[in-house]
Amino acid sequence: MSRRFAASALHEFVASALERTGARPEDAGLVTEGLVAADLRGVHTHGVLRAGIYVTRLRAGSINADASLSVVADTGPVAVVDAGAGFGIAMAARAMDLAADRAAAHGAGFVGVRNSNHCGMLAWLAMRAVALGMVGVAISNADSQVAPWGARTKYLGTNPLAIGVPAGEEPPLVLDMATSVVPHSRIQAAEARGEQIESGWALDSKGRATTDPAAALCGALLPFGGPKGSGVSFMIDVLAGLLTGALSGPAIAPLYEQLDRPQGVGHLMLALSVEAFGPKAKFAARVDNLIREVRSLPPAEGYDRVYLPGEREHLSMLDYSRNGIPLPDHVVEATERLAAEAGMDAPQPL
Amino acid sequence: MSRRFAASALHEFVASALERTGARPEDAGLVTEGLVAADLRGVHTHGVLRAGIYVTRLRAGSINADASLSVVADTGPVAVVDAGAGFGIAMAARAMDLAADRAAAHGAGFVGVRNSNHCGMLAWLAMRAVALGMVGVAISNADSQVAPWGARTKYLGTNPLAIGVPAGEEPPLVLDMATSVVPHSRIQAAEARGEQIESGWALDSKGRATTDPAAALCGALLPFGGPKGSGVSFMIDVLAGLLTGALSGPAIAPLYEQLDRPQGVGHLMLALSVEAFGPKAKFAARVDNLIREVRSLPPAEGYDRVYLPGEREHLSMLDYSRNGIPLPDHVVEATERLAAEAGMDAPQPL
């Protein structure tokens, strides 16, 4: 059984580890909030597990502790910011907040981010706009791991997409997905457990379909949904990477390699004012109605009921904020390693 | 072998058929341009094949020949228009043009469209922005045909998405996709030919996976890419339907049923000024570079080379505009039926 940890204990530990390494409190606070939010939603691949690599990159200088957002282009509804190779999560959060400011003033706000680093779970970014009653969209490019449809070698990143929509009485709709069939971490997990992977997840180094995780790790992930998902991934690289003036595709440094240089990732944040389109209460009621209609559809064979985008994660969040977060063992071990390196006490389970 | 038709002959025929039924020349011109553009790109499901149902709906009054766009909300960068149950293609094209105007002034322009009808091939809409050097994004909801992930019955439409990006010397990137695995028309075609469909395309009326096209036509299409594509489809219904104040999900009238009432479809058009983000020439050169790098990747087994989103359709367009459009027989027959009904000569092949 997983041990459960209070969100507050994880928050205190991670923020402290980041600050001891030189992060400013305001950056450490945002990064930690983003990481713990992922664990609260059960998305442990993007939770406190990542604190270690952020500390490593901070020490190596490839995350710049002194960075601040600088605006390099601005029309009002559209701005582009340079993240100065700072913390991706903190910079992306500020960019979304800026997009929301612009949406409040103009109806819509786009903020492109260049010269950034890994920005964590996009759902958390989209939900910053949702918390203000807005629609939030977050996309980011990422280092090359995915073969475009019809290619035998990797080129695209897992280029994720999140869309958050405020509801009325119901929890918000929050879609958050990588554009690969599965993330890299899932292949690594299969290899660690000595399991096969499903055909259709990845290619080997010669571009052949493989069920061997070790072969897949030398090859390429496949895009979700065949040519359609491949196309979506392309467009995310173009919009979050090329349009913002960030790096793109194979030019991006992987999170766990080339530790001495910033990743150069790009993001694009969009906030949309619901009120710009019409009465807010009417929209909220219609979203509620859609949620309830879909939730009451008869489930397909093998399903207990139909879940809306982000609904399972929302239920996890309700459970875990009350009863503690059941961290997988490898995440607990990662916090223990980080604690030992930083000369701190590791967070203790409840 | 398919017979080839000059684009100009198809254009003259369809525009004339629409005008004889009461369409204003400016509407007939836009609708016809959109339909012929689809045939030129080889997307015959959305080409002149559709002229017949538009004429039928025009006669029935569920496409309103006198409709014009009326602006119901406007912040500058965000506007919502009521399409007055007019021609979906014409109204959506005007909405994209308005979005481009707004993007030219503000950097970004969103135009939501409510009270509309089937708006044809979204690629053509996105390409209106691309022709102005902008990024164009078009989404539309559609009548209920697709089971949300985990449900046994249909709720969502095939809710398509198009994204167009201008390049420099290379042709533009144009992604255009339904969010179902395959369109309804592909199941119908399999039934007509007495063929099985692939497992994973559709459910039967009891929510079970089926390879029988007849059973699938009584059941539901499946979303592309499993829960991810289902989530994208949801968000398109929310943004193109609920946010714009259009109908959504099962409330939308199918194109070929309930012919006496407007479909009530909603669209959302987005134009983004490339210059708002940075120098246009630099972006164009980077898009060209991405296209060339991807095109030169080694192809996977069974592929001759890697194609970019919209590249095959672009190659068709180059061929067909020079050498004529090879219309499938069932499309030719549809034009002959329409000609007979309208007392016109059917277009003749080259």
Side-chain angles (χ1 to χ4, degrees):
Chain A
M1 257 189 61
S2 309
R3 287 160 283 177
R4 288 193 179 238
F5 293 78
S8 58
L10 296 179
H11 197 287
E12 194 179 336
F13 170 73
V14 172
S16 174
L18 291 169
E19 287 188 43
R20 280 169 182 238
T21 321
R24 287 173 305 204
E26 59 270 31
D27 286 335
L30 281 169
V31 172
T32 305
E33 189 185 333
L35 293 178
V36 176
D39 284 313
L40 278 168
R41 289 174 69 80
V43 185
H44 301 300
T45 50
H46 288 65
V48 299
L49 175 66
R50 301 289 192 181
I53 187 67
Y54 295 165
V55 163
T56 300
R57 281 191 165 271
L58 196 55
R59 285 210 187 100
S62 56
I63 291 178
N64 176 8
D66 301 321
S68 56
L69 279 190
S70 60
V71 176
V72 294
D74 197 349
T75 71
V78 174
V80 179
V81 296
D82 187 311
F87 281 103
I89 293 182
M91 295 303 176
R94 290 181 184 119
M96 181 57 91
D97 295 350
L98 183 60
D101 286 348
R102 301 309 176 86
H106 304 288
F110 278 98
V111 177
V113 186
R114 63 173 69 153
N115 194 15
S116 188
N117 283 299
H118 186 261
C119 69
M121 178 183 72
L122 292 189
W124 180 70
L125 297 168
M127 289 168 74
R128 293 179 80 84
V130 171
L132 300 169
M134 296 180 179
V135 171
V137 179
I139 59 177
S140 180
N141 68 1
D143 60 289
S144 171
Q145 296 188 30
V146 177
W149 189 251
R152 74 170 63 210
T153 54
K154 63 189 182 183
Y155 184 92
L156 299 165
T158 53
N159 302 352
L161 158 74
I163 305 177
V165 174
E169 296 166 2
E170 295 291 341
L173 292 167
V174 183
L175 176 69
D176 184 1
M177 50 183 258
T179 51
S180 50
V181 180
V182 294
H184 201 251
S185 55
R186 191 132 160 219
I187 313 263
Q188 290 173 312
E191 192 194 27
R193 289 193 301 262
E195 294 171 6
Q196 298 282 92
I197 58 171
E198 286 185 31
S199 181
W201 288 6
L203 302 175
D204 69 13
S205 63
K206 300 211 163 122
R208 298 170 303 203
T210 184
T211 57
D212 173 5
L217 290 170
C218 305
L221 298 176
L222 282 167
F224 89 105
K228 294 183 179 188
S230 182
V232 173
S233 180
F234 256 115
M235 292 306 182
I236 291 176
D237 204 22
V238 168
L239 298 177
L242 304 187
L243 190 62
T244 64
L247 301 183
S248 76
I252 296 170
L255 181 57
Y256 290 91
E257 296 169 30
Q258 305 176 39
L259 300 179
D260 58 338
R261 76 168 179 99
Q263 294 186 264
V265 174
H267 325 300
L268 184 61
M269 302 293 142
L270 163 64
L272 269 178
S273 160
V274 169
E275 284 139 315
F277 287 83
K280 200 166 181 171
K282 187 180 168 198
F283 177 72
R286 291 189 71 195
V287 174
D288 280 352
N289 181 61
L290 175 132
I291 289 171
R292 290 165 187 165
E293 282 187 2
V294 169
R295 201 185 276 144
S296 64
L297 291 174
E301 281 182 355
Y303 290 80
D304 59 335
R305 75 167 176 87
V306 185
Y307 288 87
L308 280 297
E311 189 176 8
R312 288 175 193 276
E313 292 80 1
H314 179 79
L315 295 172
S316 292
M317 191 267 291
L318 294 181
D319 171 9
Y320 299 173
S321 12
R322 179 167 304 180
N323 305 312
I325 302 170
L327 287 185
D329 286 342
H330 73 282
V331 177
V332 176
E333 288 154 18
T335 62
E336 288 167 351
R337 276 196 305 276
L338 177 57
E341 280 170 34
M344 297 168 61
D345 291 331
Q348 294 303 306
L350 291 171
Chain B
M1 256 189 61
S2 309
R3 287 160 285 177
R4 287 193 178 238
F5 292 78
S8 57
L10 296 179
H11 196 287
E12 194 178 336
F13 170 73
V14 172
S16 173
L18 291 169
E19 286 187 45
R20 280 169 182 238
T21 321
R24 288 173 305 205
E26 59 271 31
D27 286 335
L30 281 169
V31 172
T32 305
E33 188 186 333
L35 294 178
V36 176
D39 285 312
L40 279 168
R41 289 173 70 79
V43 185
H44 301 300
T45 50
H46 287 66
V48 299
L49 175 65
R50 301 289 191 180
I53 187 67
Y54 295 165
V55 163
T56 301
R57 282 190 164 271
L58 195 55
R59 285 210 187 99
S62 56
I63 290 178
N64 176 9
D66 301 321
S68 56
L69 278 191
S70 60
V71 176
V72 294
D74 197 350
T75 72
V78 174
V80 179
V81 296
D82 188 310
F87 282 104
I89 293 183
M91 296 301 176
R94 292 181 184 119
M96 181 58 91
D97 295 350
L98 183 60
D101 286 348
R102 302 307 177 86
H106 304 287
F110 278 98
V111 177
V113 186
R114 62 174 68 155
N115 194 13
S116 188
N117 284 299
H118 187 260
C119 70
M121 178 184 71
L122 293 189
W124 180 71
L125 298 168
M127 289 168 74
R128 292 179 81 83
V130 170
L132 301 168
M134 296 181 180
V135 171
V137 180
I139 59 177
S140 180
N141 67 2
D143 60 289
S144 171
Q145 297 189 29
V146 177
W149 190 250
R152 74 170 63 209
T153 54
K154 64 189 181 182
Y155 184 92
L156 299 166
T158 53
N159 303 351
L161 159 73
I163 305 177
V165 175
E169 297 166 4
E170 296 290 341
L173 292 167
V174 183
L175 176 70
D176 184 2
M177 51 185 256
T179 51
S180 50
V181 179
V182 295
H184 200 251
S185 56
R186 190 128 161 222
I187 313 263
Q188 289 174 313
E191 192 194 28
R193 288 193 301 263
E195 293 171 5
Q196 298 282 92
I197 58 171
E198 285 185 31
S199 181
W201 288 8
L203 302 176
D204 68 15
S205 62
K206 300 215 164 119
R208 297 169 303 203
T210 184
T211 57
D212 173 5
L217 291 170
C218 305
L221 298 175
L222 282 167
F224 90 105
K228 295 183 179 188
S230 181
V232 173
S233 179
F234 257 115
M235 292 305 182
I236 291 175
D237 204 21
V238 168
L239 298 177
L242 304 187
L243 190 62
T244 64
L247 300 184
S248 75
I252 296 170
L255 182 57
Y256 290 92
E257 296 170 31
Q258 304 176 39
L259 298 179
D260 57 338
R261 76 168 178 100
Q263 295 186 263
V265 174
H267 326 300
L268 185 60
M269 302 292 143
L270 163 64
L272 269 178
S273 160
V274 170
E275 285 139 313
F277 288 83
K280 201 166 182 170
K282 187 180 166 199
F283 178 72
R286 292 189 71 195
V287 174
D288 280 352
N289 180 61
L290 175 131
I291 289 172
R292 291 164 187 166
E293 282 187 2
V294 169
R295 200 185 276 144
S296 65
L297 291 173
E301 280 183 356
Y303 290 80
D304 60 335
R305 75 167 176 86
V306 185
Y307 287 88
L308 279 297
E311 189 175 10
R312 288 175 192 278
E313 292 80 3
H314 179 79
L315 295 172
S316 293
M317 191 268 291
L318 294 180
D319 171 9
Y320 298 173
S321 12
R322 179 167 304 181
N323 304 312
I325 302 170
L327 287 185
D329 286 342
H330 72 282
V331 177
V332 177
E333 288 154 18
T335 63
E336 289 167 351
R337 277 197 305 276
L338 178 57
E341 280 170 32
M344 299 168 59
D345 291 331
Q348 294 303 307
L350 290 172

